[in-house]
Amino acid sequence: MSTELRETPAAACDEELVERARTAARTLAANAARTEHDLRPAADSLAVVRRAGLFAMGVPRDAGGAGASLRTQVRVIAELGQGCPSTAWITALSAALKTVCSSVFPEAAREVLFADPDAIMCGSTTPLRALGERTGYGFIVSGRWQAVAGCEDSAWAVLAVPVHAEGQPALYCPALISTRDLSVERDRPVTGMAGTGSHTLVAQDVAVPPAYVVFPTAEADRAPGFPAASTALLGIAVVMLAPLLGAARGAQHAMEKVSAGVDALTSAVHHPPSRPWLTTACRLLDSATSRVLRVADALDDRLHQLHAPANSVFRPAREHARMRAEMASAAQECREAVDWLLDPHSLGGFAPGASLRRIWRDLAVIMRHPQFGPHTVAEDYGRVLFGPGTAAVPMP
């Protein structure tokens, strides 16, 4: 069904995907206020992203998707984020999860998941409480997962489920579950990123086939096609940082419009003394973009490795901690850039209806996502650098 509605992404080069995102962002921007008000993306915003093939960009080409690299996904999502960070966030999460699922889950699960390459996915690694019990059929899963972005519009959810083995501690295993078997509690309106529809997903005695649950054992980590768990999480995190880049770029463009007199909010921005603010913001955003793309490139290389050579100098713990530090620095630079952009506006940037006002709210929430928390990331990096043999703080 979906392949008839959208352009086929398998034939599209990376630049085509980016250009499609740039075009789609105009519709997202027009619907951004409605998306925030309704606490979920506008239907026509999701439709334009779907027609552009962007929900399928993380799906392998042989399954009808674009098989886009993490670098391309970051660039695409950053374009969408300039129009609507909330819709970009849902697109980013779906794309990143599909990229990881294509490597992690066995063929039986992938065939079902990618039967509709344009289907939206959601997920959570942090259950409030959950339990997966083994049965003769597979697993019975019950639990609650809070703040699951895009859960109302998703066809599939990948949820962390603790599974107990006899005499062993619980393993948190990714489980692929159809959202038709889950219920949504609409309970998470927030000040920013309200349009992500981040509500609570509930499972009650849901039967899950064994092929839809993956045990992240050390043996599996070394198997061909199965990336290390931390690499997979980093792959999701770097794509999830792209809406922040896009939102900050959106603030930059809003400032440039004001400076050109297109949409004047205050008189201050028309004076030459305001130019250092814009210049500093542009420098910070350029630096943030470079950091994120470097991490995406490194993870693309890592995800394509089947086996690390025995004499490899790649040290996962140190390299992954360094990448997280790079992403946290990029997030901080985006935050600082938007502060520089807001200052010349005085109170005008917070006037009712001002696009900067919504962008500021969205940025304030994204910045506080656990993936980008500077204090946790600094502690993680410090343990790896200065505490040989000590475990790093696990990613949330």
Side-chain angles (χ1 to χ4, degrees), residues 69-391:
S69 65
L70 293 177
R71 166 181 268 266
T72 298
Q73 292 180 36
V74 165
R75 295 181 61 207
V76 165
I77 299 302
E79 291 291 341
L80 296 180
Q82 295 186 42
C84 175
S86 287
T87 307
W89 184 271
I90 291 172
T91 308
L93 179 61
S94 184
L97 286 172
K98 288 178 180 180
T99 298
V100 172
C101 287
S102 66
S103 297
V104 170
F105 282 94
E107 184 63 28
R110 292 199 301 269
E111 285 183 0
V112 174
L113 174 61
F114 298 144
D116 178 5
D118 297 293
I120 302 174
M121 288 191 72
C122 62
S124 173
T125 60
T126 53
L128 286 176
R129 56 181 180 274
L131 178 64
E133 297 182 5
R134 292 176 183 268
T135 69
Y137 166 80
F139 298 88
I140 298 296
V141 174
S142 296
R144 300 169 61 83
W145 293 262
Q146 201 172 53
V148 183
C151 58
E152 291 180 297
D153 295 297
S154 295
W156 293 94
V158 178
L159 303 172
V161 178
V163 178
H164 292 271
E166 187 175 349
Q168 299 292 329
L171 283 174
Y172 279 79
C173 305
L176 181 65
I177 303 176
S178 170
T179 55
R180 290 176 297 183
D181 297 325
L182 303 169
S183 60
V184 176
E185 292 182 358
R186 251 181 159 238
D187 60 353
R188 295 289 291 178
V190 290
T191 300
M193 298 296 286
T196 58
S198 298
H199 305 298
T200 297
L201 271 182
V202 181
Q204 183 63 48
D205 297 329
V206 176
V208 181
Y212 292 19
V213 178
V214 176
F215 288 88
T217 63
E219 289 74 19
D221 268 356
R222 290 193 294 268
F226 195 117
S230 54
T231 301
L233 287 172
L234 278 172
I236 295 174
V238 74
V239 177
M240 299 306 295
L241 190 52
L244 180 60
L245 287 175
R249 287 291 184 190
Q252 175 190 345
H253 296 327
M255 171 69 171
E256 290 169 348
K257 286 175 62 177
V258 172
S259 298
V262 177
D263 182 26
L265 297 176
T266 68
S267 60
V269 294
H270 298 292
H271 298 300
S274 69
R275 291 172 187 165
W277 274 263
L278 180 57
T279 301
T280 301
C282 290
R283 176 180 57 79
L284 288 166
L285 291 177
D286 287 345
S287 175
T289 301
S290 296
R291 289 180 190 273
V292 175
L293 291 178
R294 281 199 302 270
V295 172
D297 288 339
L299 288 171
D300 277 328
D301 290 341
R302 182 64 173 156
L303 286 169
H304 282 93
Q305 292 177 7
L306 295 181
H307 295 281
N311 60 349
S312 173
V313 297
F314 184 87
R315 294 182 294 276
R318 174 170 290 195
E319 290 300 302
H320 290 178
R322 183 190 60 77
M323 290 181 201
R324 289 187 67 197
E326 281 279 276
M327 288 190 285
S329 295
Q332 188 61 39
E333 286 174 332
C334 289
R335 182 179 188 175
E336 293 175 8
V338 173
D339 283 341
W340 280 96
L341 291 168
L342 280 167
D343 283 349
H345 286 283
S346 186
L347 297 179
F350 297 94
S355 59
L356 278 173
R357 182 181 179 180
R358 175 177 47 78
I359 292 171
W360 175 75
R361 290 198 299 269
D362 288 347
L363 279 163
V365 171
I366 298 177
M367 273 296 306
R368 286 160 177 82
H369 192 279
Q371 297 278 22
F372 316 128
H375 304 298
T376 301
V377 170
E379 174 66 15
D380 185 358
Y381 203 6
R383 289 190 183 202
V384 172
L385 289 176
F386 308 118
T390 47

Side-chain angles (χ1 to χ4, degrees), residues 19-38:
E19 184 57 38
R20 291 179 190 179
R22 192 172 294 126
T23 300
R26 301 188 191 113
T27 299
L28 269 59
N31 293 326
R34 178 154 59 100
T35 291
E36 183 179 54
H37 177 270
D38 293 345

